[in-house]
Amino acid sequence: MFADVSFPISSFQVFSYKIPDQLVNSIFVGSTVNAPLGKRIVSGIIVNCYTKKKFNGKIKEIKSLVDGKPVLDDNLWKLISWLSAYYNTPIGLAAKAVIPSQLSTNYEPKKQSFAKVTAFKNETIIKGEIQLKIFNFLKSQDSLVPISELKTFSANPSAVCKSLQSKGLIKIIEKPVIPNIYNMSLESLPKKISLTSEQQKSISKVCSSLDKNSFDPFLLHGVTGSGKTEVFIEAAKHAIKQGKSVVVLLPEISTTPQIAGRFRSVFGDSVAVWHSKLSNSSRAWIWKKICEGEFKIIVGARSAIFTPLKNLGLIIVDEEQENAYKQTSSSPKYHAKEVSLMRGKINDATVILSSATPSIESYYNYKSKKFKYLELPKRYGEAKLPHVHLVDMIAENKETDNYNTIFSKIMLEKISDRIQKNEQVILMHNRRGFAPILRCDDCGEISKCPHCLLSLTFHKTNNVLKCHFCNYAKPPANKCSHCSSFNARLSGTGTQKIEDELSKIFPDVKIDRLDLDAAPTANKIFSTLNKFSKNEINILVGTQMIAKGLDFANATLVGIINADTGLFLPDFRSGEKVFQLIYQAAGRAGRGTIPGEVIVQTYNSENEIIKDAVNFDLVGYYEKCLKERSDLNYPPYSWLVRLEIRGTNKNDVIRAIDDLNKKIPSLPNGIEKLGPSPCYREKLKDHYRMQIVLKSNKKYDTTGSIVHNLYKKAINNIHFRKSNARSKLIIDVNPISLL
């Protein structure tokens, strides 16, 4: 028997191996094996098995089977095959996304040694003061004592305990150390919920879908605070009763603790959390238990969609509009929402896409009757949508003759009022650091990253200028590198500056910050959110991490420092993203019984996007946006494929993009080509970037197959690949941004 093996490398080539006799009955398509690749032994996946040797000559042999228990079922293998084909990724890399190489069902947790006294006689045989102290201490304990805790008596307590065990006085017991996989979920007590009629209608429709055992996509559109989580929980209850399992996807790790806590309060230890910030031991333990069928519900970030749950029946994608669901750093460049819909289709499962501000594509699919529509138009219980104040900062600056202020008068008045009432405040500004620009007043030179040619952000906490793309950092120079002037000035505002200014204005108030600098780990994110939930923080400052998915009843004021951030980026989604961020951030206010208020500061108060957002006019804005997208032939009216060339030599990149452009044949009706042109961020991490964007109108290309065949024909030209080895081609199917 022989097999073709694909490895997690950037090659579409498969390699043939002989299957050892002892593994013939254990290896199937989809099995993970160890096999020699060059001088290394590498884990790969079986993509084909056959009886007759394909070619003459020596053929290497598979060394071992990675997992004795099958992890992949037919449905997951179909998903891997689809990932590979749709996102144009070698099947080995697609399989690696689904089955991470470091995880195995054979994982065994580390063991810890404990000691316990078994005999109280013959204590006279104890020799030495240290043995006697340890024995007497163990004798005074009612339970097992970790040997590591006995280091107060001896530098080597293990040797002492072994000696006492050999004398029959104590017993050493080894126990596996089970990781605490629930240490990052906020505690939530079971709630008695009186469902609204809208919630009941939505739950009824989802449960009917689950009863049919067929693929059903829903868009659950509910205003912020309308009780979408209760719909999730009731739907999950129905799925569990049917013996099905559930995946709940969340876009940000910051939103995981609250949702995980709610699900645990209802479903107990059948819930597991899955995201990239878990410790290696926790990931390995959870993976093994998922494979063994012990967990029925997985709550996690985008990669949770690949977990090998048994009998998957319900997939929930919360805040489905978020860019974080798109994998951008490595292949396959999948979108978890697209994968969820495909996995639901393969598994005959129900899929719920949920948001207060759905993506334009999902809204269009509901209007086109491709998705079934569920609506929660009102906030749950007594809570009302907050009152929004739109502040024109240009008029404010003229009135006060202060052009450097961060906070408007009404913002400071409202913050002070909430502090006096012992209520909480959330301030959102989607820009990290202290100041985003350091500029010379004499020549106008801006301090830039040498690797990315983008402005460096000043971070006051450690006094460095830092690039937020490659993490390059340097201390701020004393003089301008261009003209040697000493007149350098910081411009703009980041979350550090906001926190710093607030601490001066409100010195006795507890202020904390939640962004990637202040909370780089999941534990720190959890700790900050836990403190805020317990009223230990009065004002929470943060980036978009705090703008969605969080529910704090005592947070009655939300301030958006600058609603214009990102508004004028040259990207077709920029307006949509600004609208959604303002709408979502405003929705954090007044979710309990106390009415909420929102202060939105802007330098573009007449901008229609901002006006629609502060008026919560989603339908009005989305209809305008759809017309604009239709006129310009952008999604949801077209398919996009972005072909990017990047390399360290600019001339090589230009030659490579020109070669690629020549390989693209004459365009059929309905397909448009943008470029070749430099990317908006032309240089990142020492790599120059150029791109070609293909737009295919869905009127002519209903499934996207025409544009997919066109670009694959172009990139599969072997001469292009060989002649431009110093440049790299990156393919992004359905990109979330053209920047």
Side-chain angles (χ1 to χ4, degrees):
M1 286 290 289
F2 301 90
D4 288 339
V5 181
S6 178
F7 295 97
I9 57 177
S10 298
S11 170
F12 285 84
Q13 185 180 358
V14 296
F15 301 85
S16 297
Y17 292 88
K18 185 179 185 301
I19 302 175
D21 293 341
Q22 68 270 23
L23 295 179
V24 165
N25 296 322
S26 304
I27 286 180
F28 308 94
V29 171
S31 296
T32 307
V33 297
N34 291 318
L37 183 65
K39 296 181 180 180
R40 301 176 298 151
I41 301 297
V42 181
S43 292
I45 192 162
I46 303 290
V47 298
N48 191 20
C49 295
Y50 44 93
T51 55
K52 191 174 180 181
K53 194 175 177 181
K54 285 184 176 179
F55 59 90
N56 296 324
K58 187 178 179 181
I59 185 167
K60 295 179 180 180
E61 194 173 76
I62 290 170
K63 292 296 183 183
S64 62
L65 185 64
V66 172
D67 264 316
K69 299 175 184 176
V71 173
L72 286 178
D73 58 17
D74 289 344
N75 288 335
L76 265 181
W77 178 246
K78 287 177 184 176
L79 187 67
I80 290 172
S81 301
W82 174 81
L83 271 174
S84 174
Y86 191 73
Y87 295 107
N88 200 68
T89 302
I91 201 162
L93 285 178
K96 186 180 179 182
V98 178
I99 313 173
S101 56
Q102 71 273 23
L103 301 179
S104 169
T105 58
N106 296 323
Y107 169 80
E108 289 296 335
K110 292 179 180 178
K111 291 186 177 180
Q112 186 176 11
S113 297
F114 295 81
K116 184 179 182 180
V117 171
T118 56
F120 294 92
K121 299 178 181 179
N122 301 322
E123 296 179 23
T124 54
I125 62 175
I126 296 175
K127 294 181 179 179
E129 183 181 350
I130 292 176
Q131 282 193 10
L132 186 60
K133 283 183 178 179
I134 287 179
F135 178 79
N136 286 334
F137 176 76
L138 293 175
K139 192 165 63 171
S140 68
Q141 303 300 305
D142 296 328
S143 57
L144 292 171
V145 177
I147 291 178
S148 59
E149 292 183 6
L150 301 175
K151 287 187 177 180
T152 53
F153 301 104
S154 168
N156 189 5
S158 180
V160 177
C161 288
K162 285 178 182 177
S163 177
L164 291 171
Q165 180 176 242
S166 67
K167 297 172 182 178
L169 295 172
I170 72 168
K171 186 176 182 179
I172 297 175
I173 300 168
E174 288 195 336
K175 285 186 170 186
V177 180
I178 308 301
N180 180 7
I181 64 173
Y182 300 118
N183 63 338
M184 283 182 289
S185 59
L186 294 176
E187 286 187 19
S188 179
L189 297 175
K191 297 180 180 179
K192 289 185 178 180
I193 302 294
S194 298
L195 297 170
T196 65
S197 59
E198 289 87 0
Q199 286 175 319
Q200 289 172 339
K201 287 177 186 176
S202 297
I203 293 163
S204 177
K205 289 178 181 178
V206 173
C207 291
S208 296
S209 169
L210 287 164
D211 291 338
K212 291 189 298 183
N213 296 316
S214 61
F215 171 58
D216 250 345
F218 288 91
L219 174 61
L220 175 57
H221 178 203
V223 299
T224 54
S226 57
K228 294 184 287 292
T229 302
E230 303 310 323
V231 176
F232 301 162
I233 288 173
E234 293 303 316
K237 284 180 182 177
H238 197 78
I240 297 297
K241 283 179 183 177
Q242 295 177 325
K244 297 175 181 178
S245 56
V246 181
V247 169
V248 182
L249 295 186
L250 302 165
E252 302 268 4
I253 292 172
S254 60
T255 60
T256 304
Q258 276 198 330
I259 298 292
R262 284 287 293 117
F263 269 81
R264 275 203 69 218
S265 71
V266 178
F267 299 99
D269 291 345
S270 65
V271 179
V273 174
W274 185 264
H275 53 70
S276 60
K277 300 291 187 182
L278 289 169
S279 66
N280 290 336
S281 59
S282 293
R283 283 174 68 83
W285 177 254
I286 293 169
W287 175 266
K288 180 179 180 178
K289 293 302 177 184
I290 290 172
C291 293
E292 292 174 353
E294 291 199 17
F295 291 122
K296 302 299 180 186
I297 300 175
I298 302 297
V299 178
R302 61 174 178 253
S303 62
I305 190 56
F306 298 124
T307 50
L309 285 165
K310 311 299 180 187
N311 195 22
L312 180 61
L314 177 62
I315 300 170
I316 298 166
V317 185
D318 196 19
E319 305 295 352
E320 60 86 28
Q321 81 284 355
E322 282 302 314
N323 285 354
Y325 283 124
K326 176 77 171 182
Q327 167 67 277
T328 57
S329 59
S330 60
S331 292
K333 295 187 181 301
Y334 68 89
H335 197 298
K337 179 169 62 176
E338 294 169 347
V339 178
S340 296
L341 291 166
M342 180 51 65
R343 192 169 185 191
K345 188 173 183 179
I346 291 170
N347 282 70
D348 291 325
T350 299
V351 180
I352 302 175
L353 308 180
S354 172
S355 179
T357 55
S359 64
I360 293 293
E361 285 89 342
S362 294
Y363 182 82
Y364 173 80
N365 283 333
Y366 131 63
K367 297 289 281 186
S368 304
K369 302 195 183 305
K370 293 179 182 178
F371 292 166
K372 295 180 179 179
Y373 187 62
L374 308 173
E375 186 180 18
L376 302 178
K378 299 176 183 177
R379 282 195 158 182
Y380 182 81
E382 298 177 12
K384 306 293 182 186
L385 284 172
H387 177 69
V388 183
H389 304 269
L390 183 64
V391 181
D392 182 347
M393 292 300 288
I394 294 177
E396 172 102 4
N397 292 342
K398 287 179 180 178
E399 182 184 333
T400 61
D401 200 28
N402 183 356
Y403 293 86
N404 295 315
T405 184
I406 297 174
F407 310 105
S408 59
K409 289 188 298 180
I410 189 173
M411 177 85 80
L412 292 176
E413 288 169 3
K414 294 294 183 182
I415 292 174
S416 179
D417 176 64
R418 291 315 193 272
I419 298 303
Q420 290 176 13
K421 293 177 179 176
N422 198 30
E423 296 169 14
Q424 291 170 288
V425 179
I426 294 175
L427 296 181
M428 196 278 292
H429 184 60
N430 206 21
R431 187 162 276 177
R432 293 158 51 201
F434 188 85
I437 293 174
L438 177 62
R439 185 198 308 269
C440 174
D441 277 348
D442 288 337
C443 72
E445 181 74 7
I446 294 173
S447 292
K448 292 182 180 179
C449 171
H451 309 291
C452 301
L453 298 184
L454 298 172
S455 64
L456 292 167
T457 299
F458 177 65
H459 287 247
K460 187 177 181 180
T461 50
N462 47 5
N463 192 38
V464 296
L465 292 167
K466 188 175 181 181
C467 175
H468 288 167
F469 283 88
C470 71
N471 288 324
Y472 167 82
K474 70 171 186 177
N478 293 324
K479 60 182 180 180
C480 175
S481 60
H482 186 255
C483 71
S484 299
S485 167
F486 291 93
N487 294 326
R489 183 158 51 97
L490 292 169
S491 301
T493 300
T495 48
Q496 286 184 9
K497 187 174 183 180
I498 293 167
E499 182 185 28
D500 191 62
E501 291 295 316
L502 282 172
S503 64
K504 295 173 184 175
I505 299 169
F506 303 103
D508 300 323
V509 170
K510 177 58 181 172
I511 303 165
D512 212 333
R513 180 163 48 88
L514 192 59
D515 56 29
L516 286 177
D517 302 313
T521 66
N523 279 326
K524 178 58 179 172
I525 293 170
F526 166 75
S527 174
T528 304
L529 292 176
N530 198 29
K531 287 179 182 177
F532 195 71
S533 71
K534 294 178 178 178
N535 262 17
E536 295 173 12
I537 297 170
N538 303 112
I539 304 174
L540 182 62
V541 179
T543 56
Q544 64 177 3
M545 292 172 69
I546 62 172
K548 50 197 168 289
L550 299 177
D551 189 349
F552 298 105
N554 197 41
T556 59
L557 178 67
V558 166
I560 299 174
I561 302 299
N562 188 351
D564 311 335
T565 305
L567 189 61
F568 301 109
L569 286 173
D571 186 72
F572 73 99
R573 293 191 201 273
S574 60
E576 176 188 357
K577 291 302 166 190
V578 169
F579 175 89
Q580 291 166 342
L581 189 59
I582 296 172
Y583 191 112
Q584 290 277 358
R588 298 314 105 202
R591 297 171 73 92
T593 56
I594 306 171
E597 286 186 277
V598 180
I599 312 295
V600 178
Q601 299 181 163
T602 176
Y603 292 88
N604 293 274
S605 59
E606 294 303 312
N607 185 279
E608 285 194 4
I609 297 169
I610 292 174
K611 288 168 75 173
D612 286 341
V614 299
N615 290 324
F616 298 107
D617 185 8
L618 183 140
V619 172
Y621 171 69
Y622 277 35
E623 292 301 321
K624 295 173 196 170
C625 189
L626 283 173
K627 185 181 185 308
E628 182 181 275
R629 298 276 183 91
S630 177
D631 292 342
L632 298 174
N633 191 31
Y634 275 111
Y637 298 97
S638 65
W639 305 103
L640 291 187
V641 176
R642 181 169 171 265
L643 306 175
E644 180 191 327
I645 300 289
R646 64 174 60 175
T648 54
N649 185 288
K650 188 173 184 178
N651 290 329
D652 288 343
V653 172
I654 292 172
R655 278 193 293 269
I657 198 79
D658 286 341
D659 286 347
L660 174 58
N661 190 43
K662 290 172 185 175
K663 299 298 183 291
I664 297 174
S666 58
L667 301 176
N669 196 22
I671 294 186
E672 180 184 354
K673 182 177 68 175
L674 305 180
S677 60
C679 297
Y680 172 69
R681 299 182 178 102
E682 187 176 355
K683 186 182 180 185
L684 287 179
K685 300 180 181 179
D686 288 321
H687 285 77
Y688 293 92
R689 306 163 64 232
M690 295 192 74
Q691 67 183 14
I692 294 172
V693 177
L694 298 173
K695 293 198 294 183
S696 183
N697 194 299
K698 290 182 180 179
K699 288 181 181 178
Y700 305 93
D701 188 9
T702 54
T703 63
S705 59
I706 296 175
V707 71
H708 277 245
N709 290 336
L710 185 145
Y711 89 79
K712 287 180 181 180
K713 184 177 179 181
I715 66 170
N716 285 337
N717 189 309
I718 191 68
H719 302 296
F720 165 75
R721 292 192 173 194
K722 287 184 177 178
S723 64
N724 297 287
R726 286 174 294 185
S727 299
K728 185 178 181 182
L729 170 65
I730 296 169
I731 301 155
D732 193 354
V733 176
N734 302 339
I736 55 169
S737 169
L738 299 181
L739 299 178

